[in-house]
Amino acid sequence: MENFSFNFFGAVGSQANSDPVAYTSSTEEGVTAEEVPQQQGLKVKDEPSIGVVTSEQAAAALAEPELQASDLVPRKYEGGFKLWEGAVDLCNFLIQQHQLTPQLLQEQTPRTSLRGKKVLELGCGHGLPGILCQLAGATVHYQDFNKQVITSLTIPNVRANLARLEQGVCREGARYFAGDWEAVGHMMAMHGLGGYYDIILTAETIYSRESQARLLSCIKQVLQPPHGVVYVAAKSFYFGVGGSTASFTDLVKADGILECTQVWKVEDGQSNKREILKLNFPEAITPYFL
């Protein structure tokens, strides 16, 4: 697995944070979710190894030998250790939309339109879009299906990128959540995060129709009305697993709570056709959240 850090900075600084009270929750079906204290993240002294998780290590961490040959084991592992194209697309989109520059990201108080925003990255893996928002001054929370992804990849990668800020420059601390989207949404809603987030980011998470329904359920519980927005980066088609941007757009339309429009497209003839979809509340509708 690839190590990734934004190559914006040269000096190494520090970043302070204290963990809030961590929560656990489960649905009536027994699906669980939990908040992961950042102290549980692996502490790696050798910087080149930060954020690196090989297929063999992933298989061992999750006790799933299948991971050595597959990116997906349904309801056990959902690709969190892999760096997906959609995450990079989201970063490029955010850089353009918010006119982010290395100089802005190094400011003590970043003069960006993301400063002060409350951001959630669902299915975060490496956490690149969330890290970019955190560097730009947003408060960011990260979620992945597997706790092992959060502790061995996300938290070390967040630390590595924030450590590249200049001496004395700090950013708001992050929170981390693990578990199934439905259970995570329920837990967040029950502990003060219902209708909380200004921006929700997610990449490569609509690969199957079943995953789409769970993702949308979580989004509806935690997106802040009436101006909260969601950006979903995805391939137009997921061959063999049934998902597509068209099927997700149809699901959102049929549900009737949010609107869905395409705001970004990659069609270069050399890679998979990819899109970014924007979800938002219609002006005439009363938002749904717990």
Side-chain angles (χ1 to χ4, degrees), residues 128-170:
L128 302 190
I131 290 169
L132 181 60
C133 292
Q134 205 169 346
L135 291 171
T139 297
V140 182
H141 297 169
Y142 299 85
Q143 177 276 337
D144 201 273
F145 184 84
N146 298 104
K147 179 178 179 179
Q148 294 91 335
V149 171
I150 294 290
T151 57
S152 62
L153 183 62
T154 312
I155 294 175
N157 214 35
V158 171
R159 287 175 179 162
N161 279 277
L162 295 186
R164 296 174 68 84
L165 289 166
E166 293 180 354
Q167 188 69 35
V169 177
C170 297

Side-chain angles (χ1 to χ4, degrees), residues 18 22 25 82 89 107 158 182 200 240 265:
S18 59
S25 181
K82 183 173 179 178
D89 290 340
E107 293 178 345
V158 171
E182 285 186 319
I200 297 177
K265 181 169 67 173

Side-chain angles (χ1 to χ4, degrees), residues 34-214:
E34 63 180 304
E35 182 169 4
V36 182
Q38 75 160 323
Q39 285 97 331
Q40 294 186 17
L42 297 182
K43 296 181 179 179
V44 185
K45 294 182 180 179
D46 184 17
E47 183 173 339
S49 67
I50 293 175
V52 176
V53 181
T54 66
S55 297
E56 291 75 16
Q57 289 170 329
L62 296 171
E64 292 291 344
E66 299 170 69
L67 295 188
Q68 296 190 45
S70 174
D71 293 324
L72 177 66
V73 179
R75 305 309 292 267
K76 294 183 180 180
Y77 170 72
E78 310 217 349
F81 283 120
K82 183 173 179 178
L83 178 55
W84 297 92
E85 295 169 309
V88 179
D89 290 340
L90 270 180
C91 290
N92 288 327
F93 174 75
L94 291 167
I95 288 169
Q96 291 189 20
Q97 185 184 48
H98 296 280
Q99 300 180 327
L100 304 178
T101 67
Q103 292 74 26
L104 285 175
L105 299 184
Q106 278 285 12
E107 293 178 345
Q108 179 67 51
T109 304
R111 292 169 296 161
T112 75
S113 52
L114 287 169
R115 180 164 60 91
K117 297 294 186 183
K118 295 167 290 188
V119 176
L120 171 66
E121 185 178 354
L122 294 172
C124 61
H126 286 73
L128 302 190
I131 290 169
L132 181 60
C133 292
Q134 205 169 346
L135 291 171
T139 297
V140 182
H141 297 169
Y142 299 85
Q143 177 276 337
D144 201 273
F145 184 84
N146 298 104
K147 179 178 179 179
Q148 294 91 335
V149 171
I150 294 290
T151 57
S152 62
L153 183 62
T154 312
I155 294 175
N157 214 35
V158 171
R159 287 175 179 162
N161 279 277
L162 295 186
R164 296 174 68 84
L165 289 166
E166 293 180 354
Q167 188 69 35
V169 177
C170 297
R171 293 292 182 264
E172 185 78 20
R175 292 173 70 176
Y176 303 90
F177 301 88
D180 180 85
W181 286 316
E182 285 186 319
V184 166
H186 175 76
M187 178 182 69
M188 288 178 164
M190 296 301 293
H191 293 287
L193 297 176
Y196 178 80
Y197 297 100
D198 301 301
I199 301 172
I200 297 177
L201 306 170
T202 187
E204 310 283 4
T205 51
I206 60 170
Y207 51 84
S208 72
R209 290 177 181 267
E210 190 268 344
S211 71
Q212 293 174 3
R214 292 185 289 117

